[in-house]
Amino acid sequence: MKLLELLGYYNYWVFAVVLTVGLYAVIRKRNLIKKLIGLSIFQSAVFLLYITMDKVEGGTAPIIQKGVPDQVFSNPLPQVLILTAIVVGVSTLALGLAMVVRIKESYGTIEEHEILGAD
Amino acid sequence: MIYVFALFLLTLLVITAVAIVRTENLFVAVMLTSIFSLLMAANFFILDAADVALTEAAVGAGVTTVIFLSALALTGDWEKPRPGGRTVALGTVGVLAMLLIYASFDKPRLGDPEAPVHQHVAPWYLEKTPEYMDIPNVVTAILSSFRGYDTLGEVFVVFAACIGVLFILGVKPARQTAAAPQPVSGLRHHLIPQVVGRLLVPFIVLFGLYVQFHGEYGPGGGFQAGAIIATGVILYALLEGEAEALRAVPRSVLLALVVGGALLYGAVGVVCMLKGGAFLDYSVLAADPVFGQQLGILVIEAGVGMAVCGALLSIFHAFAARESMT
Amino acid sequence: MTFMEHLPALQVVVPMLSAPLIVLLQPRGLAWAGATAAGLASFAIAIALAMAVLDGQTQVYAMGGWAAPYGIALEVDAFSALVLLLVTGAGAAALLAARVSVDRQIEPERQPLFYAAWLLGLAGLAGIVVSADAFNIFVFMEISSLASYILIAGGPDRRALPAVFKYLIMGTIGATFYLIGVGLIYMMTGTLNLADMQARIGDVVALNPILVAAGFITIGLALKAAVFPLHVWLPNAYTHAPHMVTVFLAACATKVALYVLIRFDSMVFQDRLSDHEFQFTLFALPLAVLGILVASSVAMFEGHLKRLLATSSVAQIGYILLGASFVSEAGITASAMHMFNHALAKGGLFLAVACLAFHFRDLRLSELGGAARRMPLTCAALVVCGLSLIGVPGTAGFISKWLLITAALESGLWGWSLVAVILVSSLMAVVYIWRIVEALYFQQASAEGDTSFAEAPLQLLLVTWAVALLNIFFGLFPHLPLALANGSAALLVGGAP
Amino acid sequence: MIELALDVVSWVLLAVGGACVLIGGIGGLRLPNFYTRIHAASLTDTMATLLIFVGMMLQSGLSLATLKLFAIMLFLLLTGPTATYALANAALLSGLKPEGDTGQSKHGENTQP
Amino acid sequence: MYIVVSIAILVTMVLALVRALLGPTVYDRVLAVNVFGTKTVLLLSVIAFLYGRPDFLDLALAYALINVVGILAVLEFFQDRFRKQERVDSD
């Protein structure tokens, strides 16, 4: 029973590890595109946290089938929140990449230490 | 039994994330990012989040990879390694990880029905959706009606991203290349992909429309449909060349799509106000409240689909036009 | 439902829906006119809401017709009415004065997009203040952040881009930390509505996730509000942004994040978590004091005029956090008042900087010689707003400094040392304002600079003077903001309904 | 009776399909250079897809799901080989010469454009 | 029965991931991504049947269509760089 008990928390540990991997990339890497990739990993971890909440033992996706009586459904609310968060992540990514392209044209480099050196 | 899959895929997820951070070739990092999004979608599907998996698939595999690659084409795809100790970064990040893992023991176990999340608001939604809207997909019902204001904010986030990229990339690059920007010929001499692609594009757009209008009955809705249709037109642009795609869907149409979609969503809300209900209260739209709700959901999903499709395509064209300039 | 009842929704909908319309207005002048009309309309709505709140009825609006915990509820009480006035007022004033200054810095064909982003920023900030749903605050926080990234990225010289990229990275990390915090609270209480959360958080047994959630939300919002150690993005972002954007963002952007922090803390965490007051004070007080002292001293030795004022903004945010960290009625009143007064003072100062920028390409203090002779009116307005920033009696700044000192004294044994900190930092403020005055009035004009009388355009000058006079007016008759601040303090900490 | 036969046939198809997938995966890993690995990958693309989807179609009988399964199979069979062809074409164009009999590709290093 | 097939697919995904991480030339990685995408489609369809909810096949259908766009975008990227290098060498 103990192992199955621990398995229940496995999702939260993966959330913690992927979150820290993303944060590490954002803090540590100096290439601006690698920072953006780290940022998208960082946000994906949060999506995993929300979707882990919605699973109910033996429940199916919250789409009500006409014929089937008293079905157990997973919780639909975190899915709605994550639908919004995914699109927010893509929008921030697109804006960040547009800035990186402009920085490359005006500074000639996308390494943070070289940019700071240039000014 | 789902533990086996969940365990397996989550471990793959962690490996891919670490590999993305470690590799120095940015192109490889982008390839691994698309694998990362494939794994995320599979994980969501196993955890009963079909709508979210479809969104992650439509947005992650198609549009994100294409935008990253066009940005890499404009910048370099090698990262300068950073020598020196990484103890400080690892230290702070390690502390955060320990804190999170320590806090995870009080959280409800994966999937236990007594978790507070399943007691308070969720059962009301599951119970009231057939009564108020009578549509099977509860996620679409919440997304468009119960929490429609969130989705309105969401459409304006996409609208902001679109005008942001057009604003930032609106500045002509400083050193215009002497040679006239030669038309970016798509995979011209790849005959087979071109033929298959020309066959495939109509089916992708058709499938996008299916997902758009099937949103109430199965996994689908405005976001997914907009992303899939945008991916279809991007495939056409890849095969025929960006200029050809611009002739098919000119920039003015794209701007009209984005502005039209956002305004359509807002207009439905204002009409609800004028007809005496609260903002975005669709039950006043028609005599029978249930039919009014369904009508409202259908119209705003169309608005969301238009806005997302227009925004993603104008972002792609902004980057592609930049490529042909430098 | 009558028109008056729709006001909370209209407050957000009017600027938000006019943004796409403005993108279509290609002819140059029209974009500015449309944006200003929408800005003034939202300011009028904010005034009407404030009037309604002042005579006692807090507006609650169920969005989409669904009741609170199931749908999204909007709520306008005393605190949000005050911050709404601040946000829409700063937005409308900056828009009124923006035409001349923006024409010089943004190309005509990009202006419709610029003004649309401006209105989205205004709508996002108003959406945060009006909303009473935790996830809805995140969505509108993203809208306002994306809009401010776009606005700052419009800056004329190339240094704006790395500055705004750093702001994007730190802002997104802050918003995602906030999202994690909300997720953890939702996991333990099962609801997203703030009032509902307050009710249900009491019977949560396992306190670990709630503490971690409190930590994440506080750090995320501190990042967004540029509280002391996490403020590194602010000076560069405000310095290299277009002048009018700095006026708008400096006046209200960071204060809205502090508004959410104070509301979250006093409503959700405060009376339910045992000894949480002590934890919040333990966290916020040292950061506020450090922020005030370090930022003020850095501002003293700063050469560039705009960067000096931006760094002093970090110190002023420290004051607001100082007031909030007392967790007492007097403390919340002081921090709410200082939000209002600082917006007036700093908005006026940056408007004066925008006027100066018309005739002085380089805004370094060493280059501003002889400005007073060439632009007497602008420099006079700058001095008035500077005095209000210091807190000279008779100006708005004095009211909030006075309230801070009384709150500090009331807060027990540490009171006297905090009063000393406030006085020392006010002295530092005197020093750096005096450095500006000395550069403007007593420094010899540089050799080739012409000294003919050349004032800023009339439109910009009128708005600058209007804000300067407001500084004085609210210094002498602070009844309106004071009533709202007292109401908000009673609501948040006093436990009034 | 028919039911049982259908079940057995689809189990067999699914099992062989699974084995095919596995063989393709192992092939992709162990084969020496790029062009041989492309064969292994295309094996799984076509054969395994065919087997697994036909096996599932037998299970689901005549329904909307069968139509969807058929559509997925059709598109996979259409796009898989195209992608593999385009990939091999691009690799050949940019100079990755297929090996004669030495077995070890000259351009093994990572910085291949 | 579906479990056996899904386990086989999962193992293949691991092998494809190993190829993506090791892959000497860049084209190996692109090949690995292509194999990974196809296997995800198979896995999603099998799990849809495993859960007894065949109406979720839309997701697998979406992936079958979109996966090819990523691969062709990569090849377009390489073609651009290859043409840019030719221009650099020529002038």
Side-chain angles (χ1 to χ4, degrees):
Chain A
M1 182 41 203
K2 195 72 189 71
L3 176 66
L4 203 60
E5 176 67 33
L6 280 184
L7 273 188
Y9 298 114
Y10 189 72
N11 283 45
Y12 299 124
W13 300 341
V14 169
F15 153 69
V17 169
V18 175
L19 187 85
T20 40
V21 165
L23 200 59
Y24 172 80
V26 171
I27 294 171
R28 178 75 183 151
K29 299 294 174 183
R30 290 191 294 208
N31 185 303
L32 298 185
I33 288 191
K34 185 54 84 68
K35 273 185 189 284
L36 282 176
I37 293 177
L39 204 63
S40 68
I41 295 175
F42 179 74
Q43 287 174 334
S44 302
V46 180
F47 305 157
L48 196 62
L49 170 73
Y50 271 71
I51 296 296
T52 320
M53 283 192 252
D54 85 349
K55 176 70 179 147
V56 171
E57 198 69 45
T60 56
I63 295 170
I64 301 164
Q65 284 169 316
K66 275 288 180 284
V68 184
D70 57 33
Q71 248 187 347
V72 173
F73 290 113
S74 289
N75 183 352
L77 193 54
Q79 300 178 18
V80 173
L81 307 181
I82 286 311
L83 269 172
T84 313
I86 286 180
V87 180
V88 164
V90 172
S91 311
T92 320
L93 181 73
L95 214 58
L97 283 175
M99 288 177 205
V100 167
V101 165
R102 277 282 305 279
I103 288 175
K104 172 75 177 177
E105 276 157 13
S106 43
Y107 282 89
T109 168
I110 47 171
E111 295 293 331
E112 202 176 23
H113 51 286
E114 288 158 5
I115 296 169
L116 297 182
D119 293 343
Chain B
M1 171 262 306
I2 65 153
Y3 287 128
V4 173
F5 294 151
L7 195 77
F8 221 78
L9 284 168
L10 288 173
T11 339
L12 288 189
L13 201 72
V14 174
I15 297 167
T16 321
V18 171
I20 290 173
V21 170
R22 277 179 56 79
T23 170
E24 273 157 22
N25 179 344
L26 287 179
F27 168 74
V28 169
V30 168
M31 293 286 44
L32 291 175
T33 311
S34 72
I35 290 187
F36 187 83
S37 104
L38 286 170
L39 279 170
M40 284 298 278
N43 269 317
F44 289 156
F45 189 69
I46 287 175
L47 290 169
D48 285 347
D51 277 83
V52 181
L54 189 53
T55 317
E56 178 72 28
V59 167
V63 176
T64 314
T65 315
V66 169
I67 294 181
F68 258 125
L69 285 175
S70 35
L72 279 187
L74 291 164
T75 58
D77 70 340
W78 276 99
E79 181 199 8
K80 290 190 180 51
R82 173 176 183 169
R86 358 168 180 276
T87 49
V88 173
L90 273 179
T92 48
V93 157
V95 163
L96 185 71
M98 286 311 126
L99 187 100
L100 275 170
I101 289 174
Y102 167 70
S104 71
F105 287 107
D106 288 343
K107 297 178 188 162
R109 219 169 29 76
L110 173 74
D112 74 352
E114 292 81 27
V117 167
H118 308 306
Q119 312 310 329
H120 182 46
V121 177
W124 186 84
Y125 286 135
L126 289 168
E127 179 199 328
K128 286 289 188 281
T129 308
E131 182 191 328
Y132 285 128
M133 288 109 176
D134 191 15
I135 58 171
N137 189 346
V138 178
V139 173
T140 309
I142 301 173
L143 184 77
S144 42
S145 173
F146 291 123
R147 292 186 70 91
Y149 187 53
D150 265 354
T151 316
L152 177 70
E154 195 38 52
V155 166
F156 278 90
V157 166
V158 171
F159 174 75
C162 172
I163 60 169
V165 171
L166 293 180
F167 180 77
I168 291 175
L169 292 184
V171 181
K172 295 291 169 289
R175 22 172 188 73
Q176 193 82 7
T177 51
Q182 21 77 357
V184 175
S185 67
L187 298 166
R188 181 74 60 225
H189 53 279
H190 281 232
L191 187 60
I192 298 180
Q194 213 173 4
V195 168
V196 167
R198 209 176 284 133
L199 184 76
L200 213 56
V201 166
F203 282 101
I204 294 182
V205 175
L206 182 68
F207 179 67
L209 292 175
Y210 162 76
V211 164
Q212 166 82 42
F213 296 110
H214 188 70
E216 286 81 21
Y217 304 98
F223 294 120
Q224 298 88 341
I228 289 172
I229 295 175
T231 313
V233 177
I234 287 174
L235 177 63
Y236 182 75
L238 287 177
L239 294 177
E240 305 298 331
E242 193 248 340
E244 191 67 35
L246 262 183
R247 228 162 37 73
V249 185
R251 283 190 204 287
S252 52
V253 166
L254 289 182
L255 197 62
L257 265 178
V258 177
V259 168
L263 282 182
L264 179 66
Y265 199 120
V268 166
V270 171
V271 161
C272 296
M273 261 205 215
L274 297 179
K275 277 169 135 3
F279 186 72
L280 290 178
D281 179 3
Y282 311 128
S283 38
V284 295
L285 284 179
D288 159 27
V290 173
F291 179 68
Q293 290 283 350
Q294 287 170 354
L295 178 69
I297 289 174
L298 208 60
V299 172
I300 63 139
E301 286 288 342
V304 170
M306 279 160 60
V308 170
C309 178
L312 292 179
L313 275 179
S314 31
I315 289 173
F316 168 73
H317 278 304
F319 277 104
R322 204 74 181 187
E323 258 174 73
S324 57
M325 267 186 248
T326 49
Chain C
M1 290 174 74
T2 65
F3 177 76
M4 279 302 289
E5 284 166 5
H6 281 306
L7 281 185
L10 283 177
Q11 175 67 61
V12 180
V13 161
V14 162
M16 196 142 83
L17 288 191
S18 45
L21 289 176
I22 283 175
V23 169
L24 298 178
L25 303 176
Q26 286 314 334
R28 200 160 51 82
L30 227 54
W32 172 76
T36 316
L40 289 174
S42 60
F43 186 43
I45 295 173
I47 292 174
L49 280 173
M51 288 308 150
V53 163
L54 272 180
D55 51 36
Q57 356 130 330
T58 55
Q59 312 263 352
V60 180
Y61 188 90
M63 189 57 82
W66 308 110
Y70 306 114
I72 297 169
L74 305 184
E75 199 181 322
V76 180
D77 54 16
F79 198 19
S80 35
L82 182 68
V83 180
L84 260 183
L85 273 179
L86 169 72
V87 166
T88 46
L95 268 174
L96 264 176
R99 192 167 61 81
V100 274
S101 172
V102 166
D103 282 353
R104 282 162 58 102
Q105 289 186 319
I106 309 278
E107 302 86 5
E109 71 278 0
R110 288 201 312 164
Q111 278 193 358
L113 296 174
F114 180 78
Y115 284 117
W118 189 302
L119 280 179
L120 277 181
L122 190 61
L125 292 173
I128 295 174
V129 172
V130 152
S131 162
D133 182 278
F135 187 78
N136 198 261
I137 291 178
F138 167 74
V139 172
F140 279 95
M141 191 190 290
E142 277 304 321
I143 292 181
S144 58
S145 313
L146 281 179
S148 46
Y149 303 149
I150 300 168
L151 291 175
I152 297 176
D157 75 42
R158 70 174 188 173
R159 282 174 307 201
L161 292 167
V164 78
F165 187 82
K166 179 186 272 292
Y167 179 22
L168 181 136
I169 294 283
M170 294 185 81
T172 311
I173 289 183
T176 313
F177 269 13
Y178 173 79
L179 188 63
I180 297 172
V182 166
L184 291 174
I185 295 180
Y186 170 68
M187 183 189 287
M188 301 318 280
T189 60
T191 169
L192 284 170
N193 187 295
L194 286 179
D196 206 15
M197 245 183 230
Q198 186 176 11
R200 290 175 64 83
I201 207 165
D203 47 36
V204 169
V205 174
L207 274 188
N208 262 343
I210 302 291
L211 289 177
V212 170
F216 267 116
I217 287 182
T218 316
I219 292 176
L221 290 171
L223 246 167
K224 277 287 199 195
V227 170
F228 169 64
L230 308 166
H231 69 292
V232 283
W233 56 268
L234 188 128
N236 277 347
Y238 283 6
T239 312
H240 299 303
H243 301 308
M244 293 321 291
V245 168
T246 316
V247 171
F248 174 50
L249 290 183
C252 53
T254 49
K255 290 168 196 51
V256 170
L258 279 177
Y259 160 85
V260 178
L261 182 62
I262 294 170
R263 176 176 280 275
F264 236 95
D265 199 82
S266 52
M267 275 182 74
V268 175
F269 295 123
Q270 210 57 157
D271 41 23
R272 285 300 182 281
L273 285 182
S274 59
D275 67 39
H276 185 74
E277 293 90 354
F278 177 67
Q279 280 160 353
F280 184 71
T281 319
L282 195 66
F283 172 75
L285 199 62
L287 284 190
V289 169
L290 264 174
I292 295 171
L293 295 179
V294 169
S296 302
S297 45
V298 165
M300 279 202 294
F301 300 103
E302 182 54 57
H304 191 278
L305 177 58
K306 265 179 102 172
R307 190 188 297 278
L308 185 149
L309 294 176
T311 318
S312 102
S313 286
V314 176
Q316 305 295 327
I317 290 162
Y319 281 117
I320 300 172
L321 197 64
L322 184 68
S325 64
F326 293 142
V327 191
S328 65
E329 266 197 50
I332 301 280
T333 318
S335 72
M337 270 310 282
H338 195 62
M339 276 192 198
F340 191 81
N341 296 336
H342 175 251
L344 279 177
K346 197 47 69 67
L349 280 169
F350 275 120
L351 273 169
V353 166
C355 298
L356 282 176
F358 264 85
H359 296 293
F360 290 88
R361 294 294 310 146
D362 183 349
L363 283 175
R364 277 201 300 269
L365 290 184
S366 50
E367 308 301 322
L368 287 174
R373 269 187 303 285
R374 294 189 58 206
M375 307 173 78
L377 290 176
T378 315
C379 297
L382 194 136
V383 166
V384 166
C385 299
L387 295 179
S388 169
L389 191 69
I390 298 168
V392 167
T395 64
F398 174 71
I399 307 288
S400 46
K401 286 278 171 64
W402 177 255
L403 286 170
L404 266 172
I405 289 171
T406 46
L409 288 178
E410 238 177 58
S411 77
L413 57 94
W414 287 100
W416 282 105
S417 56
L418 291 176
V419 169
V421 163
I422 295 173
L423 291 183
V424 161
S425 59
S426 300
L427 284 178
M428 287 199 224
V430 168
V431 167
Y432 60 71
I433 295 294
W434 172 253
R435 275 185 68 226
I436 300 175
V437 168
E438 183 201 10
L440 293 181
Y441 280 87
F442 305 110
Q443 198 174 338
Q444 292 315 321
S446 49
E448 83 295 340
D450 63 356
T451 58
S452 61
F453 174 84
E455 251 313 342
L458 188 59
Q459 198 178 357
L460 189 52
L461 203 57
L462 280 181
V463 174
T464 316
W465 263 99
V467 172
L469 293 179
L470 271 179
N471 265 318
I472 298 171
F473 171 75
F474 280 118
L476 304 175
F477 312 100
H479 310 303
L480 172 69
L482 205 55
L484 282 175
N486 285 330
S488 54
L491 177 82
L492 290 177
V493 178
Chain D
M1 189 40 208
I2 304 293
E3 202 49 53
L4 190 62
L6 265 181
D7 279 356
V8 167
V9 168
S10 65
W11 287 165
V12 165
L13 282 176
L14 281 171
V16 173
C20 251
V21 164
L22 216 56
I23 295 164
I26 296 168
L29 202 58
R30 284 176 52 86
L31 290 171
N33 61 25
F34 169 69
Y35 288 99
T36 44
R37 281 181 213 124
I38 245 185
H39 287 298
S42 59
L43 163 69
T44 63
D45 270 355
T46 48
M47 176 54 90
T49 314
L50 212 63
L51 290 173
I52 290 179
F53 276 104
V54 168
M56 280 203 278
M57 273 192 255
L58 292 181
Q59 280 293 357
S60 67
L62 279 168
S63 72
L64 179 64
T66 319
L67 180 68
K68 282 186 186 167
L69 280 174
F70 181 73
I72 297 175
M73 187 180 72
L74 190 70
F75 285 130
L76 270 185
L77 291 182
L78 200 63
T79 55
T82 327
T84 324
Y85 158 77
L87 184 59
N89 188 299
L92 195 65
L93 271 179
S94 69
L96 181 63
K97 286 291 170 291
E99 270 325 293
D101 46 9
T102 55
Q104 182 49 36
S105 89
K106 288 205 299 297
H107 302 273
E109 75 293 352
N110 193 344
T111 56
Q112 179 61 39
Chain E
M1 191 52 212
Y2 292 121
I3 298 173
V4 170
V5 179
S6 46
I7 288 174
I9 294 172
L10 279 174
V11 169
T12 323
M13 281 164 110
V14 172
L15 298 177
L17 189 64
V18 167
R19 172 50 57 204
L21 301 182
L22 294 180
T25 62
V26 189
Y27 293 102
D28 288 316
R29 297 175 199 268
V30 177
L31 177 66
V33 169
N34 185 15
V35 164
F36 206 93
T38 329
K39 293 304 154 290
T40 319
V41 172
L42 284 175
L43 183 71
L44 293 181
S45 339
V46 167
I47 290 180
F49 266 70
L50 198 62
Y51 276 2
R53 294 292 299 257
D55 53 358
F56 287 169
L57 287 171
D58 303 348
L59 182 60
L61 190 55
Y63 249 127
L65 294 169
I66 291 171
N67 190 27
V68 106
V69 175
I71 303 298
L72 289 182
V74 164
L75 301 180
E76 170 75 13
F77 169 75
F78 266 104
Q79 199 186 2
D80 263 2
R81 252 157 43 97
F82 192 65
R83 189 182 309 118
K84 277 206 185 85
Q85 229 144 17
E86 264 173 5
R87 220 158 9 117
V88 167
D89 307 341
S90 56
D91 54 18

